[in-house]
Amino acid sequence: MSLRARVTLLAAACVAGVLALVSLGAYITVYNNLYQQVDDELIQQANSVINDPQVVQTGGLRIPTYITRLVDVRFDLIVADGSSAFESEPSMRPPIGLDEREVASGQKPSSIRTDRNTDSRVLAVPYRYQPGVALVLSQPLDATKQTLRELAVVLALIGGGGIVVAALAGTAVARTGLRPVERLTSATEHIARTGDLRPIPISGDDELARLTHSFNTMLGAVAESQDRQRQLVADAGHELRTPLTSLRTNLELLLSASRSGAPTLSEKDRAEIETDIKAQLDELTQLIGDLVELARQDEPRTAFERVEMVEVVERALDRARRRAGEIEFDVALQPWHVIGDAGALERAVLNLLDNAVKFSPPHSRVGVRMYPLGDGTAVIEVADSGPGIADEDLPRVFDRFYRSSEARTLPGSGLGLAIVKQAAERHGGAAYAGRAPEGGALLSLRLPGMPG
């Protein structure tokens, strides 16, 4: 069942339930009031008969003259056995039952009931002019029941009409209310069919408008992710083209030299070509590893855990020292922990250290500091002893595949600092580049957390 049909059915069911309760309450109220009116009229007429001061003597009974003025009412005077003490026409006698006989015998002060056989209301009261005799009055219920039947028909018609109106209103409300959902559904189907990630127009400020806004936000994130992927693929293709071309050229040269009749290569040339091939393979390996790391960090965020940054930095230092040669590290760390991915953070710190080692001259020192800033964040600073970063390069050092003019002659893929920036942003922090007091580069990684 569609949502529109469910809304229509729910509206009709709610209105039907309310109308049923209201109709039942109205019917019961009118039913009781009409029967009470009949009872009150019978009681009033009985009191008029009993309290009439004008009486006549008939067959040994004192009969009030008012009894002869009763209209649309059957009446009789009965004794304890139910027989008539008043000479009345049998067709005019009210129905006599146990209740009436008990009133005549004095067992009950009065009685009032509905006689199902004659479909009438029957009242019995003691006859004060003669003990052992009861005055019995009965009034047909035809008019009352006809009124109730007409009321039932009216309530049924009103209820049915109300249900139909509620169903139509529910359909209209569902159609109007679900129109934005239909537009959103059509838009999602269009996106799935064409891949077009343009935002969906928003109208109004209700829940569906907020849903559309959230969906547009998701589309923006997907579009941004696609743009990053396309840019990464384009940049990777551009960066891979040079080492692959050089590697292919060197391999073709080696293969050509190995063919019969081709000029031979000297041992020196062969050694140089083999060195170039090894360097190019190393460059490709590093580039592919960096691309994998960037792609992994673009994945949805996994469950983070408590990470002690002192341990992370020390592990990165151990790895950096093994390939730092004659460069030393001046380390000062204060305890700090974050909630994050220890592997990604270690890779980011290692990239900062490797970058500092790459630009530092032999026998120099690389400064490593970690300390809190007092605002809920801590900073990891890595300062090298190299030439520093030019002013025009400072805003772009963390861009993917960006390499300054000084770095283009050095090994590297241009992705190391991009990985640092991505790891920092993934953990709610940021990466900064500046100049160290000694003149070299100062790269900082700022992360939110708390003291260890």
Side-chain angles (χ1 to χ4, degrees), residues 3-245:
L3 181 58
R4 181 183 301 175
R6 290 200 297 269
V7 171
T8 301
L9 182 60
L10 179 61
C14 290
V15 172
V18 172
L19 287 177
L21 291 175
V22 172
S23 299
L24 180 61
Y27 185 85
I28 292 175
T29 301
V30 174
Y31 178 92
N32 291 333
N33 288 338
L34 290 177
Y35 271 70
Q36 187 63 45
Q37 289 178 9
V38 173
D39 294 345
D40 292 342
E41 185 176 351
L42 286 174
I43 292 173
Q44 180 182 0
Q45 291 180 344
N47 291 332
S48 298
V49 171
I50 294 174
N51 297 323
D52 188 1
Q54 298 181 4
V55 295
V56 296
Q57 192 75 22
T58 302
L61 287 176
R62 300 176 66 191
I63 306 299
T65 57
Y66 187 85
I67 201 170
T68 60
R69 299 197 298 270
L70 294 175
V71 180
D72 295 331
V73 175
R74 294 183 179 187
F75 60 90
D76 198 359
L77 296 172
I78 65 169
V79 296
D81 62 358
S83 60
S84 177
F86 177 66
E87 296 178 359
S88 61
E89 293 293 333
S91 60
M92 296 298 296
R93 292 193 68 198
I96 305 300
L98 179 61
D99 291 338
E100 290 74 28
R101 294 196 299 269
E102 289 178 347
V103 173
S105 63
Q107 298 179 23
K108 284 185 176 181
S110 64
S111 71
I112 188 166
R113 66 183 179 88
T114 299
D115 185 73
R116 303 299 179 186
N117 295 325
T118 59
D119 202 15
S120 60
R121 196 72 170 161
V122 182
L123 171 69
V125 295
Y127 188 60
R128 73 173 186 170
Y129 296 108
Q130 187 169 343
V133 177
L135 172 63
V136 181
L137 303 178
S138 70
Q139 182 171 341
L141 295 173
D142 297 340
T144 300
K145 291 195 172 183
Q146 179 63 27
T147 301
L148 291 175
R149 284 193 293 269
E150 293 175 355
L151 176 63
V153 172
V154 171
L155 291 176
L157 292 176
I158 293 175
I163 293 173
V164 172
V165 171
L168 295 176
T171 302
V173 170
R175 181 181 294 111
T176 303
L178 294 178
R179 189 171 293 120
V181 177
E182 293 176 352
R183 289 200 300 267
L184 188 60
T185 302
S186 300
T188 56
E189 292 174 350
H190 175 73
I191 291 170
R193 186 172 60 254
T194 64
D196 184 5
L197 299 179
R198 285 178 296 180
I200 303 172
I202 300 176
S203 59
D205 57 355
D206 54 5
E207 291 80 0
L208 292 175
R210 290 196 294 272
L211 174 62
T212 306
H213 177 73
S214 300
F215 191 80
N216 285 341
T217 302
M218 182 189 69
L219 288 180
V222 173
E224 183 181 357
S225 177
Q226 285 188 351
D227 290 341
R228 288 200 307 269
Q229 290 177 359
R230 282 193 291 265
Q231 185 64 38
L232 179 62
V233 171
D235 292 341
H238 176 74
E239 292 295 324
L240 286 170
R241 186 178 298 114
T242 300
L244 285 176
T245 302

Side-chain angles (χ1 to χ4, degrees), residues 332-351:
L333 307 176
Q334 296 185 30
W336 190 259
H337 78 266
V338 301
I339 303 300
D341 183 355
L345 291 172
E346 182 178 344
R347 177 63 183 269
V349 175
L350 180 61
N351 285 355

